[in-house]
Amino acid sequence: MKHLILMRHAKSDWSHDLPDHDRPLNKRGRRAAPAIGAWLRAGGHLPDEILCSTSARTRETLTRLNLPAPARFEADLYHAAPDTMLDILRTARGDSVMVIGHNPGIAAFAQMMLATPPEHPRFAAYPTCATLVAEFDIGDWSDLRPHSGRATSFVVPRDLTD
């Protein structure tokens, strides 16, 4: 059994005159990422490997999650299409792997990987810092196939503050 934690980066700051790749998190994003990290730890959803886009906002999200797993930064995850995400995930070695990426690819990838989407009103939109936990009945990530996952949890930051 393999577990996937699929996260969109936290809310980024558009007020800086920076290239898209270099935008940091805004105040809301800097609050949301630690809240999601606490939710992951409380639920026992701890990755043993993290695959992260190289953008500033995904790196900052990762730092603020405060998770003990090693990270591998993948340039190809920056605004990746679902097929690219699948190819990268198939190279993973951990039993519980987190992927931190960007929309619209991350939302499309989440939909592509699950047999049935979770019954959450925000799943299709996959807002910033949305996090899916899914399980796959496979022994190796190289065997991963679309529409084979089962969602076990899905959360957005607003769920944790309302």
Side-chain angles (χ1 to χ4, degrees):
M1 185 71 64
K2 298 291 185 188
H3 294 89
L4 173 64
I5 304 164
L6 191 61
M7 175 183 282
R8 182 179 174 195
H9 63 79
K11 187 77 173 164
S12 62
D13 192 341
W14 288 84
S15 69
H16 301 283
D17 187 22
L18 294 169
D20 181 72
H21 189 272
D22 300 333
R23 283 189 291 114
L25 298 182
N26 69 11
K27 188 175 181 180
R28 190 169 100 198
R30 290 189 304 269
R31 283 192 315 266
I36 295 291
W39 176 84
L40 288 167
R41 287 187 301 281
H45 306 299
L46 297 175
D48 47 31
E49 181 179 7
I50 300 170
L51 307 174
C52 185
S53 163
T54 57
S55 75
R57 60 192 177 274
T58 53
R59 286 175 175 265
E60 187 177 354
T61 298
L62 172 58
T63 298
R64 291 177 181 277
L65 291 171
N66 194 27
L67 298 174
R72 185 173 83 202
F73 296 97
E74 293 280 346
D76 288 344
L77 283 175
Y78 177 64
H79 288 295
D83 287 341
T84 301
M85 290 182 180
L86 180 58
D87 289 344
I88 293 169
L89 184 55
R90 284 179 174 155
T91 70
R93 295 286 169 242
D95 289 324
S96 179
V97 176
M98 171 179 264
V99 176
I100 305 175
H102 308 264
N103 252 0
I106 201 105
F109 184 61
Q111 292 174 6
M112 179 176 102
M113 296 314 300
L114 296 176
T116 304
E119 292 184 21
H120 190 287
R122 300 291 289 151
F123 178 72
Y126 227 91
T128 52
C129 226
T131 303
L132 168 71
V133 180
E135 61 184 19
F136 297 85
D137 190 14
I138 55 174
D140 192 271
W141 288 109
S142 63
D143 298 326
L144 187 62
R145 300 291 175 258
H147 310 293
S148 64
R150 185 179 75 82
T152 60
S153 296
F154 180 78
V155 70
V156 298
R158 186 166 287 167
D159 295 339
L160 304 176
T161 59
D162 286 348

